[in-house]
Amino acid sequence: MSELGLALEVPRWAARFYLRHWVVVVGLSLVASVQRLVVVNWGGLVPDGVAFASEVVVVAARVLLVVVIWRLATRGERLGWADARAFAARHWPSLVWQGMLLAVAFLVFDVVAEQVVGGLLPESARQTYLAVLLFAKNPTVIAFTFVWWVGLIRQVGVSRAVPVR
């Protein structure tokens, strides 16, 4: 298998994982979605203390989401540092591809969607656009990225050092 093929195994695995566990992934992600929609769109109406407390709740929900993804993704797997080092030494080009794929995803969904498209909108529409975009990105792009990162860790750390299934 090529190094690009090996790198593409992780987002493929992440897509299968996301679809299989979409209820819990989307459910926990909606905490951040609703918070972003309210605070970004109507931030002037939300007291500072409530806004801060809602950020703490979002962080807790995201940590819980990563823990749930981790537990589901590594159930029955043995992960080890030696395996990760061996994988990295043997398949470093795959890891470079992974970095490039994640960078492209970041450029498309963060820079283009938020900065470029948002910058093209009239000032009066930007805040609402950003609020709706963040509402949509939390259970999709951001959650999928968490799954992808866990899949990457899983791929490099599983004792057999082969693509994740």
Side-chain angles (χ1 to χ4, degrees), residues 36-37 40-42 113-134:
R36 294 296 187 254
L37 184 66
V40 172
N41 204 37
W42 299 289
E114 285 186 35
Q115 309 300 321
V116 175
V117 175
L120 295 173
L121 296 172
E123 187 68 38
S124 61
R126 286 184 191 159
Q127 188 172 339
T128 301
Y129 168 78
L130 182 60
V132 171
L133 178 66
L134 293 175

Side-chain angles (χ1 to χ4, degrees), residues 40-153:
V40 172
N41 204 37
W42 299 289
L45 303 174
V46 178
D48 290 342
V50 173
F52 178 78
S54 69
E55 288 293 336
V56 172
V57 171
V58 166
V59 169
R62 285 188 172 161
V63 168
L64 180 59
L65 176 60
V66 171
V67 168
V68 168
I69 293 168
W70 180 263
R71 298 289 305 263
L72 291 170
T74 60
R75 189 174 25 196
E77 299 289 351
R78 193 185 115 258
L79 300 158
W81 284 112
D83 299 314
R85 285 192 301 275
F87 183 95
R90 199 173 357 191
H91 299 292
W92 64 267
S94 170
L95 298 174
V96 171
W97 277 111
Q98 286 284 339
M100 290 172 42
L101 292 169
L102 285 164
V104 167
F106 171 78
L107 286 173
V108 169
F109 294 110
D110 191 62
V111 175
V112 173
E114 285 186 35
Q115 309 300 321
V116 175
V117 175
L120 295 173
L121 296 172
E123 187 68 38
S124 61
R126 286 184 191 159
Q127 188 172 339
T128 301
Y129 168 78
L130 182 60
V132 171
L133 178 66
L134 293 175
F135 180 86
K137 277 178 55 175
N138 273 285
T140 56
V141 176
I142 294 169
F144 185 79
T145 303
F146 290 159
V147 174
W148 187 335
W149 276 105
V150 170
L152 177 59
I153 294 166

